[in-house]
Amino acid sequence: DKVISPKMLVSPSARDFYSIVLFLLRVIDPKFEFHSSKAEEEIPIIFKTLGYPNFITKTSLVAVGAPNTWPHLLASLMWLMELCTAAIESDVLEENKAEAVDHPDGLRNISSDTDLFVDYLGKAYHGFLDYGNYDEEWDAMTRNFDEKMEDIHEEGET
């Protein structure tokens, strides 16, 4: 409901930070609400429960926009955003799988192709992080995709 300006992101208030966290948590759970009026007590527990690898202190939430605090809290928002993205993609994949089961006319291959592509992305990302070459993963994915397309074409001819 609130507009985020570049100025706000340079040095946000605690209330701005809480609003952003609340917005992102509602992506995961649309009915999410802070249980108390003191979000600075709940946020560290929420991040720990979600598996955030670093610890957020109540003190850092009092001075959100401080130069020594904001970079760490911004990193926590980035992590939460990635978690939201994964949750959204997971829902999309589940919807695709459910849709594929509902349609026996060849759409069943959508879910396996989506899984194939997501698997490739994961392997390619790990290859990228290891400064490796992920051409083998690309070749395997395209080979599997071509085989699936041939199967679909053959099923259509029979």
Side-chain angles (χ1 to χ4, degrees), residues 115-129 137:
D115 290 344
L116 182 65
F117 182 66
V118 170
D119 182 54
Y120 161 74
L121 286 178
K123 289 177 181 176
Y125 183 66
H126 285 289
F128 170 76
L129 290 178
E137 287 82 5

Side-chain angles (χ1 to χ4, degrees), residues 27-153:
V27 169
I28 298 169
D29 179 5
K31 296 180 181 179
F32 179 83
E33 291 290 335
F34 289 117
H35 295 292
S36 70
S37 60
K38 295 189 176 191
E40 68 271 8
E41 292 178 0
E42 290 186 51
I43 288 176
I45 296 167
I46 291 167
F47 272 86
K48 184 177 181 180
T49 302
L50 291 174
Y52 183 59
N54 298 317
F55 187 71
I56 297 175
T57 64
K58 291 180 194 177
T59 308
S60 66
L61 295 174
V62 172
V64 170
N68 61 335
T69 305
W70 180 231
H72 301 288
L73 293 176
L74 184 59
S76 71
L77 290 177
M78 291 297 298
W79 180 85
L80 186 56
M81 191 176 71
E82 289 176 9
L83 185 66
C84 291
T85 302
I88 290 167
E89 288 173 355
S90 172
D91 287 346
V92 168
L93 288 177
E94 290 305 315
E95 287 172 13
N96 283 345
K97 287 180 182 179
E99 192 175 295
V101 170
D102 293 341
H103 300 291
D105 61 354
L107 290 177
R108 66 186 178 281
N109 292 310
I110 291 174
S111 64
S112 60
D113 293 343
T114 303
D115 290 344
L116 182 65
F117 182 66
V118 170
D119 182 54
Y120 161 74
L121 286 178
K123 289 177 181 176
Y125 183 66
H126 285 289
F128 170 76
L129 290 178
D130 292 335
Y131 300 104
N133 186 345
Y134 37 90
D135 289 339
E136 291 177 24
E137 287 82 5
W138 175 260
D139 292 341
M141 184 191 73
T142 54
R143 207 173 26 256
N144 287 337
F145 183 77
D146 290 342
E147 289 171 4
K148 289 183 186 301
M149 295 310 286
E150 285 177 22
D151 291 344
I152 291 170
H153 182 57

Side-chain angles (χ1 to χ4, degrees), residues 16-30:
D16 294 334
F17 180 77
Y18 302 155
S19 294
I20 294 169
V21 170
L22 181 62
F23 173 81
L24 291 172
L25 290 172
R26 284 184 178 163
V27 169
I28 298 169
D29 179 5

